[in-house]
Amino acid sequence: MDSVRELKEAFSVASGDPELVRSQLQAFGRQIPLLYFILMVNTIAVAVTHYRFAPKWVVVYTPAFLCLICTIRCVNWWKARHRVLTHEHAVSELRKTTRLASILGAGFSIWSFTLFPYGGPYEQAQVAFYMATTLVGCVFCLMHVRAAALSLLLIVVIPFTVFFVSTRQPVFVAMAVDMMLVGTALCFIIHIYYLNFSQLVQSQRDLLATQIRTQTLSDENFRLASIDSLTSLPNRRSFFSSLAELAQQQLAPMHRFDVGLIDLDGFKQVNDVYGHATGDQVLSEVGRRLLTFATPDVLLSRLGGDEFGIIVKMSRSNDALVALAEKICEQLSRPYWVSGNVAELSGTIGWATFPQTATTVEQLFERADYALYFGKESQRGRPVIYSAEHETRIRRASLIAQELRRADLEAELYLVFQPIYDVMQQKPVGFEALARWQNVPLGQVQPDEFIRVAERTDLILHVTEVLLRKALAEVHHWPASFCLSFNLSVIDISSLPRSQRLLDIVSLSRVPPSRVNFEITETALTRDFEQARGSLALIKEAGCSVSLDDFGTGYSSLTYIHRLPFDQIKIDRSFVAKVDADAASRNIVKSVMDLCNNLELRCVVEGVETQSQLDILRDIGGVIMQGYFFGRPMRAEAIGTYLAEAAAHLGHPLNPAGVPQPAGTAGSAGTLAPIGLT
Ligand code: C2E
Ligand code: CA
Ligand code: CA
C-alpha cells in the first residue's frame, strides 16, 4: 500500500509545501530555454537528414507543428518569467508542465516512430539515437519537477523499448534494453535528486527561519538597549549616538542643531514624600508629555533619573528655540495627578548650540549642562541658552577653583557676623557667621561664588572645618545666651563621618553644643533626603540645633519639613523684600509663621531692611529677625561695639537710626572694639 502511495506521490505535484513548489518552479524555469533548445535542434537535425526519404507531412509539417508548440511555450514562459504567482497558480503551472511533458513526449515519440521506416539503417539508427539523447537531455532539464520527468521517462522509454524490440534487429534490441536500463537508472537519479532538492529547500527554510528569529531577537535587544523602559523614550545611549551621528553629518557649518538638557525641579521631593512608585508614575507622565513634542526634527530622550535630553535638528533661531522650550516648560509645570495625589513640578532646560557654542559632542553636552546648572540656580522652570555670560562664569569658576586649591585657607578665610535680633526683647540673641575669602590674585570673593566652587570639588570639607573653628573661637567672646548660626553645605552632611567631624570640632572648641545652630538650605536637602535626615539626627543628638535656611526658594512641602528634625525655619529674604508692597508675599510669610507655630518651630525672618517691613512682620507675628535693618554682617572685632550700642538702646523703640550699625561692617577692616560683654 505504501509503495502504491509513494508511486502516486512520485507522479503528482507535491502541492502541500508552497516553498517547495515555488523553488521547483524557479529552478525549472531556468532550464526551460535549454530544454526546448535541445528538443528543437535535435528534431530539426533528424528532419533535415530524413528530408530526402520521407514525405513532407512527416519531415516538415509535423515537426514544424511540434516545434511551434514548443516555441509558443517558450514565448509564454519568457513573457511571464517575472510574474509573481500565488501558491495555487504555481501548483497549476507545475501540473501544466507535467501534462505538457507527457503530451510533447508522446507527440515527439509518435513522430519518431513514424519517421523510422523512412531512410536506410543509418537514418534509422539516427532516429533511435535522437530519441535516446533527447530524452536524457529533457529529463535532466525537468529534474526539479519530478512528476514531469518521470512521466516523460515512462511515456518515451516504454514505447521505445517495445518498438525497438519489435524490430528484431539485434542492434535495436540491444539499444532498447540499454534504454530500459538507463531509464530505470534515471528513475532512481530523479528520485534521489528530488529528495535532496526538497531537503535543501527545507534546510534553506530552516536557515531563513533561524535568521529571522535571530534578527528579530537582535532588533528587540537593540530596541530594549536604546529605549528607557519606564517612559518608553529613547535612553541616554540612544541620545548620545544620535548626537554623535548629527555632529558627523553637520560638519558643514551651515546647519545648526541644539541640545537641551531638562532637569525636573521638585522631583526628589515627590519621591521622598510619596514614594518611588509615585515618582515612577510622575516620570512616565513626564515622558508622555515630552513625547507630544517629538517630531522627526525634535528627538527626546530620558538620560536617567529626572533628567531628559532634547535634540533639535535644523532649528532656525534662538527665538524659535526659546518658543519651543517655553512650551515644553509650560507642559511640565502642569499638575501631575498620581495615585490620588497631586504633584507640582517644573522643568528647567539648559541649551547649547552646535557649532556656535561647541564643536564637539562632549563640549556641547557640557555647555548645555552648564546652562542647565545656571538655570537651576537663577531661573528654575525656564529655558536657558548657553551664552558668553556663561562662558565668563565658567572661566571665573575655574579660576576660583584653581586659586582655592593653592590658597592658604587658614590665613585667607575669615568670617563676618550678622546679628539675629529678637524684636520682642529688642536685643540681638545671636549671630550668623558668613564666610569671606580675601585672596591676593582674586581680591575679595563672595561666599555665593567660592562656596559653590568649593562644593563641586571636595575642598568644601576643609573650608567648612577652617570656618567652623574660627566661628567657634568667637563665641567665647559673646554673651552666654548668644547662639552661633553656622551655614553648612550639602557635602558637609553627605555622610555620617563628615557630620561627626564637625561635631568633634564643636566639642573641641568647648562651646556648649546648645549654643550652636547649623543652617542647611532647602535646596541642599533635595539631593539626598535620607542621608540628610541621618546627618541631621546625629547633629541633634549631639545637642546642636538645626535650621532650614532660605525657606521658600525650593520645593519643600509641609510633609517634607515635618519628616526632618528641624528646630527653626528661616524665611528667605525674597519674600520679605516684597512684604510691604505685595499682599501675596505677606500671606506667604504669615502662613509660614503659622506653620512654624503649629509645628513648634522657631521662625526667623531674613532680609529685613526697612522700618515698614519690620512693622508689618511684627504685626503678623514675627519675633526673630535678621537683616541690614538690625545690622550688616560685621567683622568679629566690631561685635563688641555693636553689642555695647545695642545694650544702650535697649528699651528704646526701634528705628533705622536707633539700631546700632557697627563701624566694621562686612568686608571693611573694622575697628578694634572692646570685647567681653559676656
Ligand atoms: P544666607 O545663609 O542666606 O546668608 C544671608 C545672606 O544674606 C548673606 O549674604 C547676607 O549678607 C545677606 N543679607 C543679610 N541681611 C540682608 C538684607 O537685609 N538684605 C540683603 N539684600 N541681604 C542680606 P552673604 O554673606 O553674601 O552669603 C550668601 C550665602 O552664602 C549665604 O546665604 C549662605 O548660603 C552662603 N554662605 C555664607 N557663608 C557660608 C559658610 O560659611 N558656609 C556655607 N556653606 N555657606 C555660606
Ligand atoms: Ca544662612
Ligand atoms: Ca538664608
Side-chain angles (χ1 to χ4, degrees), residues 360-642:
T360 64
V361 166
E362 291 74 25
Q363 209 177 33
L364 189 66
F365 187 82
E366 214 171 76
R367 301 212 152 157
D369 196 33
Y370 195 81
L372 172 67
Y373 173 80
F374 180 82
K376 294 286 275 184
E377 278 186 349
S378 54
Q379 48 188 92
R380 281 171 178 244
R382 307 239 16 240
V384 177
I385 300 180
Y386 184 87
S387 68
E389 184 198 339
H390 302 131
E391 185 93 49
T392 319
R393 278 182 175 236
I394 292 181
R395 291 233 174 85
R396 169 89 178 154
S398 66
L399 205 66
I400 290 177
Q402 189 186 321
E403 289 304 328
L404 206 55
R405 230 169 261 126
R406 58 175 179 213
D408 176 1
L409 295 179
E410 202 65 56
E412 296 181 16
L413 287 177
Y414 68 94
L415 287 152
V416 290
F417 297 88
Q418 185 176 36
I420 299 170
Y421 207 87
D422 184 326
V423 296
M424 296 291 269
Q425 298 183 52
Q426 294 189 18
K427 66 181 185 78
V429 288
F431 289 96
E432 176 175 357
L434 296 161
R436 296 291 180 266
W437 180 29
Q438 180 63 48
N439 178 257
V440 176
L442 295 174
Q444 180 83 23
V445 189
Q446 291 304 306
D448 277 338
E449 268 194 312
F450 77 83
I451 294 285
R452 263 186 244 287
V453 174
E455 275 173 351
R456 269 182 264 145
T457 61
D458 259 4
L459 278 168
I460 189 68
L461 300 174
H462 184 48
V463 169
T464 305
E465 285 183 21
V466 169
L467 290 170
L468 183 59
R469 264 195 295 269
K470 290 191 176 199
L472 288 164
E474 294 305 322
V475 179
H476 293 293
H477 306 300
W478 302 346
S481 61
F482 274 41
C483 288
L484 164 74
S485 276
F486 186 85
N487 293 288
L488 289 184
S489 105
V490 61
I491 317 285
D492 297 319
I493 54 164
S494 62
S495 75
L496 292 181
R498 282 178 181 176
S499 311
Q500 187 56 51
R501 265 300 289 137
L502 302 176
L503 297 173
D504 293 345
I505 294 174
V506 173
S507 88
L508 272 174
S509 74
R510 287 181 293 105
V511 171
S514 59
R515 293 183 67 190
V516 181
N517 177 275
F518 287 110
E519 297 189 3
I520 288 120
T521 61
E522 211 186 339
T523 36
L525 290 171
T526 58
R527 306 236 184 132
D528 188 346
F529 184 85
E530 287 308 323
Q531 183 55 54
R533 187 150 74 157
S535 290
L536 295 190
L538 187 76
I539 293 172
K540 295 256 314 186
E541 242 169 65
C544 301
S545 55
V546 279
S547 300
L548 178 62
D549 202 0
D550 300 348
F551 182 76
T553 53
Y555 281 80
S556 304
S557 68
L558 213 149
T559 343
Y560 201 65
I561 301 166
H562 202 58
R563 286 173 57 192
L564 290 165
F566 287 116
D567 301 282
Q568 177 170 289
I569 282 178
K570 297 185 83 172
I571 304 179
D572 190 66
R573 65 170 186 269
S574 54
F575 296 100
V576 178
K578 291 180 275 175
V579 89
D580 44 0
D582 174 25
S585 295
R586 204 157 44 234
N587 288 339
I588 292 172
V589 175
K590 170 91 173 80
S591 27
V592 178
M593 284 175 180
D594 292 344
L595 168 78
C596 290
N597 274 339
N598 291 339
L599 296 175
E600 294 180 349
L601 299 173
R602 272 196 346 158
C603 178
V604 180
V605 191
E606 288 189 289
V608 183
E609 291 182 354
T610 64
Q611 179 73 52
S612 73
Q613 289 171 346
L614 166 63
D615 292 341
I616 293 165
L617 291 167
R618 204 171 21 197
D619 284 352
I620 58 177
V623 177
I624 314 287
M625 300 188 195
Q626 199 180 333
Y628 293 166
F629 186 81
F630 305 100
R632 287 183 176 258
M634 63 194 86
R635 289 274 198 151
E637 300 82 359
I639 289 178
T641 317
Y642 174 84

